[in-house]
Every structure is written in C-alpha cells, then in structure tokens.
Amino acid sequence: MEKQKYGMVLPIILLSYFMIILDNSIIFTSTVKIAADLNLDPQALSWVSNAYALTFGGFLLLGGRAGDLFGRKRLFLIGLVVFSLGSLLVGISTGATMIVTTRALQGLGSAILAPATLALLMDSYTGPLRMRAIAAYGATAGIGSSFGLVIGGLIASWFSWRDGFFLNVPVGILLFILAVRYIKVTTRPAVGKIDYLGTVTSVVGFSALVYSIVGEQYQLLAAIVAVIFLVSFVLTEAKIKAPIMPLKIFADRERSSAYVARFFFMGAMLAYWFLTPQVLQQLYHFSPLQAGIAFLPMSIVQFIAALQVSRLTTKWGNSRLLIVGLSTTLLGVLLAVVIGIHAGYTWAVALPMVLLGLGQGVTLSPLTVSGLANTDREIAGSASGVVNTIHQIGGSVGLSLVVALTSQIVTPLIHITPRY
C-alpha cells in the first residue's frame, strides 16, 4: 500500500510540528489562569505569546539556512533539545520576566526545529507522495492550533497550565530517540556560511515592529528602528553571497502570493485564538475547560475538511481550493464581527467557528504547498524558513494590533449580559 512508503519519517515530523503548534495554542485557553497565577497585565500576557512568536519568527530564517549548511537531521535534533528544555523552564516559571524569557527560549527551539521538519519532508519524498506529505504538514498547523485550545482547556481545568509544558519533555525525548533511529541523511550539506548580519537585522527589525504596536513606551522610536533594520535586512540579502533569505525565493509569483496571504491569514486567526478564550471566560463565565470545548465547532469541522484536502486538490487544483478556503475564512470573520459578541455563544461564536474551521481546514495545506512551489533542494531549508517565518510574524503582528486596539475595551465587555 502507498501509505507504507511514508515509513516513520512522516509520523515523526508531523508529531514534532504538532507539538510546536499545540504548545502555542495551549497558552490561549490558559491565559486567564496564567495571568492570575503570575499577576500579569494584558500587555505582559500578550508577550507570553509574542516572545515565543518573535524568537520563532525571527530565528526561523537562520534555522532554515543552518539546516541547509549543517544538515537537517542535526538541526532537527538540536531543535528538539532546545524546545524541550525551554518547555521545562516555562513550566517552572515564577513571574513575568521568567515566563517571557523562557518562552523566548522555547521559540528559539521551534525556530531550529520547524524549518528542519519541512525540509526533511522535501528530502524524504518525491512526486505525489511529497505533495501529500506537505498537505498533511499544512493541515497539522491548523489542526494543532484549534485542538490545542481544547487540550489547553482540559489541562488548565483538570491539572495546571504548567503541566501542558511539562508534557513536552517526555514527548521531546521520545521524538529524539525515534529521529536518531529512523531519519536518514539523504542530502549533503550545502556550501556556504551563516549570514549573521542578516540574522541580526531581521530579528531586531521584526521585534521592533511588534513592539511599536504593543509597547507602552518609545513606540515611535521602535517603529523607526523597525523600518531601518528591515530595510537593511533586505539590502543585505540582495548583496551577500549566502543569505539566510535568498531573494530569489520571492521571484516566483505563486510563492510570493502565498506568503502575503499567509501573513494576513495568520494575523487574523492568531488574534481570534487569543481573544476568544478570554471573552468566553470573562463575558460568558466559562471555565478554561468549557472555553476549550467551545472551540469544538471549529476543531471538528477543520479536522474533517483537512482530511478532504488531497482529494479536493486533485479535483479543483491548489489555487482554486486556496481561493475557496480564504473566502470562507473571511466570511467567518465578517460574520463574527457583524453578529457581535453580545449575541450569545451559539450565534456569536459557534456559528462563525463552523465557517472558520472549514476555511482553515482547506487553506493552510494549499498555502504551504504554494509557499514551497518550484523550489530546489539547495534552498529547501531557506524556503521552509520563510514559510514558517511568515506564519509566525503574521500572527504576532495581528495579535499585537488586536491587543493594542482592545486592551481598553475587553474589560468593559464583562459587564454585558450575554444571551445564550
């Protein structure tokens, strides 16, 4: 059977990526308890997510390029170690500074791990098998995000929010052992050097960009720094011989369009995942478990839709399916805005979630396929890094914008009487 041809590589990679995505989603249904336990204000709470997203997004390009140069299996194993260590330290955090710092370390581990996973898929499979593997990878991003909210609610209600991070440690150890045994080195490392200047300018630029939106002081200065460093980053990548982000990646129209779409898609969705659990717990007085279960209309529909992606792609084509998915997601967001959160869970939350789940289920896989379209093995790691960078930075910018816009109005929502 064709499924047997995948071997153990695909399960190892998908479980690793699922762990990364799941971990970030668990934060959202645990935000109320984390804030109460560690005495965090809304800005500090947002940085629990942003610190992870910024180091994840900022170092992804370096992680992707390092995989090209030093070997993807080696970077995959290093990423597992750093991520597992970061998870352990997050779990024992005692205050705002510690949890934000250790979440940043966790994001660094993800930045090393994530591009290696996608590049290993490119190395391990060819033809239709590769397309299906990439589609499964893209589906994992959405499924991990939505089911993470449910699992996070279970953990926060029955155990402690810390246990969700402690769980990563034995899982990381298991994946490390399986990877050593089953993942084979199939390509030689590329020739070149690490682009340290590009790494510094990209990390500082993206971090300053988000701070200019969510920060409380020196926002204008942060915006100026962001523009200077991001422009310097692009100019550096255009001149250097071995860039962490080869600009030829953007020369392909399909790839560049997929990056733009992914940026805005993740900006909208991460903001939704961050705000909705808080509103459910504050306005509707749901427990963390109930808030997680409240996402089932999205999670179940998304899971079912993701299973149909391969068949629908064969029937309709990747581009047409992508248009359908993005349109459905936009319709779900607009419906939530038009109905308004005061209309009660069924109409204001559950109904839009069905459309959002359907849209996500058929969007993330085609976006991933298009983001890697027409790439060769020499830049597979870099292209994988760009896909994941756009994913994280788009989400971080969207989250920061929403936090900045809603920090003064989320609390008054608590006093609105909802209609069930």
Side-chain angles (χ1 to χ4, degrees):
M1 293 176 63
E2 187 178 58
K3 289 184 179 179
Q4 295 175 333
K5 297 178 182 178
Y6 286 111
M8 283 295 295
V9 175
L10 184 61
I12 292 170
I13 289 174
L14 293 186
L15 182 56
S16 302
Y17 192 55
F18 184 80
M19 179 176 66
I20 296 172
I21 300 299
L22 179 71
D23 196 71
N24 206 29
S25 294
I26 286 175
I27 282 289
F28 297 140
T29 41
S30 303
T31 49
V32 173
K33 284 199 169 183
I34 292 174
D37 190 13
L38 302 181
N39 194 29
L40 306 180
D41 59 29
Q43 280 71 31
L45 187 61
S46 72
W47 277 101
V48 174
S49 291
N50 278 336
Y52 177 88
L54 286 174
T55 51
F56 192 176
F59 286 94
L60 269 167
L61 296 176
L62 175 61
R65 183 58 178 165
D68 290 339
L69 295 177
F70 305 123
R72 285 146 195 170
K73 179 179 178 179
R74 180 182 300 172
L75 267 292
F76 180 82
L77 295 175
I78 292 173
L80 280 174
V81 172
V82 176
F83 181 83
S84 300
L85 176 60
S87 297
L88 176 63
L89 294 175
V90 171
I92 62 175
S93 294
T94 57
T97 301
M98 184 174 181
I99 193 171
V100 170
T101 303
T102 54
R103 281 285 284 168
L105 176 63
Q106 204 181 22
L108 178 60
S110 297
I112 300 170
L113 185 60
T117 59
L118 193 48
L120 282 171
L121 282 187
M122 300 285 285
D123 289 347
S124 302
Y125 306 109
T126 58
L129 216 58
R130 175 191 284 181
M131 296 296 291
R132 294 190 184 99
I134 294 175
Y137 184 94
T140 300
I143 293 172
S145 297
S146 55
F147 272 103
L149 297 168
V150 179
I151 295 172
L154 291 171
I155 293 174
S157 295
W158 292 351
F159 304 99
S160 164
W161 62 267
R162 300 176 187 274
D163 294 326
F165 296 98
F166 291 145
L167 183 62
N168 290 333
V169 179
V171 174
I173 293 172
L174 174 63
L175 288 171
F176 187 95
I177 295 171
L178 292 174
V180 169
R181 180 173 180 180
Y182 291 106
I183 294 180
K184 308 299 181 183
V185 177
T186 57
T187 58
R188 294 182 178 180
V191 177
K193 298 179 180 179
I194 289 292
D195 174 17
Y196 294 106
L197 181 58
T199 298
V200 172
T201 52
S202 64
V203 171
V204 174
F206 285 128
S207 300
L209 174 63
V210 174
Y211 185 84
S212 70
I213 300 169
V214 75
E216 296 181 338
Q217 296 179 328
Y218 308 112
Q219 290 172 288
L220 178 60
L221 177 61
I224 295 172
V225 171
V227 171
I228 293 173
F229 274 83
L230 289 176
V231 170
S232 299
F233 171 60
V234 173
L235 294 176
T236 298
E237 301 307 278
K239 296 179 180 180
I240 199 167
K241 292 183 179 180
I244 59 171
M245 188 185 73
L247 296 186
K248 68 177 182 179
I249 290 176
F250 300 94
D252 184 272
R253 181 177 296 180
E254 181 179 357
R255 289 199 300 264
S256 57
S257 298
Y259 300 148
V260 173
R262 197 179 196 101
F263 179 89
F264 287 104
F265 179 87
M266 289 309 304
M269 294 317 305
L270 198 69
Y272 185 86
W273 294 327
F274 178 78
L275 285 177
T276 303
Q278 294 186 70
V279 172
L280 289 173
Q281 292 176 72
Q282 295 176 347
L283 173 59
Y284 295 104
H285 308 294
F286 283 15
S287 68
L289 175 58
Q290 290 173 320
I293 293 174
F295 273 81
L296 283 177
M298 176 189 292
S299 303
I300 293 174
V301 171
Q302 181 173 346
F303 180 74
I304 295 172
L307 293 177
Q308 307 303 316
V309 166
S310 294
R311 182 178 63 84
L312 293 174
T313 301
T314 302
K315 184 177 181 180
W316 294 349
N318 197 69
S319 298
R320 186 177 298 178
L321 183 60
L322 186 54
I323 292 173
V324 171
L326 289 172
S327 300
T328 305
T329 304
L330 178 60
L331 182 60
V333 172
L334 292 176
L335 185 62
V337 172
V338 170
I339 293 176
I341 195 64
H342 62 278
Y345 170 76
T346 301
W347 295 105
V349 182
L351 182 59
M353 274 187 178
V354 172
L355 291 174
L356 290 171
L358 179 60
Q360 289 179 71
V362 298
T363 296
L364 283 169
S365 291
L367 278 177
T368 304
V369 171
S370 293
L372 295 171
N374 309 314
T375 56
D376 54 50
R377 289 193 172 188
E378 290 185 0
I379 62 169
S382 296
S384 302
V386 171
V387 169
N388 282 291
T389 298
I390 297 297
H391 190 98
Q392 293 303 316
I393 295 300
S396 185
V397 171
L399 173 60
S400 299
L401 283 170
V402 167
V403 168
L405 293 172
T406 62
S407 59
Q408 301 301 319
I409 63 174
V410 170
T411 300
L413 282 175
I414 301 174
H415 303 292
I416 301 175
T417 301
R419 298 196 304 270
Y420 294 92

